[in-house]
Structures are given as structure tokens and as C-alpha cells.
Amino acid sequence: MSAHYPMGRFGTPDELAGTVAYLASEDSGLITGAAFPLDGGITSAFTVPE
């Protein structure tokens, strides 16, 4: 299944932890209503035919 992901692999918990730590820190104080897709690019690569 990971062959369908643009990065060719699944992310690890350690890779996700960096984003979580950032969002939990004061450095992200101005972040509002943002999406952080941590999906290895599958969201951008997936298309639905019309």
C-alpha cells in the first residue's frame, strides 16, 4: 500500500511529533484555522475523475 504514497513510505511517530511539538509551543501562537496534512503527500496526489 505504501507504493501509492508519493513519498513511497508511511510517516513515523517521530516525524509527526515535530509538528505536534510546534503546535503545542508558543511559537505557533499566531496559527489559526490551518491544516497540516501529515500524510506523505497522498492528499495532493489523490484525484477524483470528473
Side-chain angles (χ1 to χ4, degrees):
M1 183 172 165
S2 64
H4 298 288
Y5 280 74
M7 293 187 70
R9 63 181 181 83
F10 296 110
T12 65
D14 287 340
E15 291 173 313
L16 302 177
T19 302
V20 173
Y22 169 71
L23 291 172
S25 75
E26 291 183 16
D27 290 335
S28 67
L30 291 176
I31 303 292
T32 59
F36 293 86
L38 303 173
D39 62 6
I42 193 71
T43 303
S44 297
F46 182 74
T47 59
V48 178
E50 292 185 22

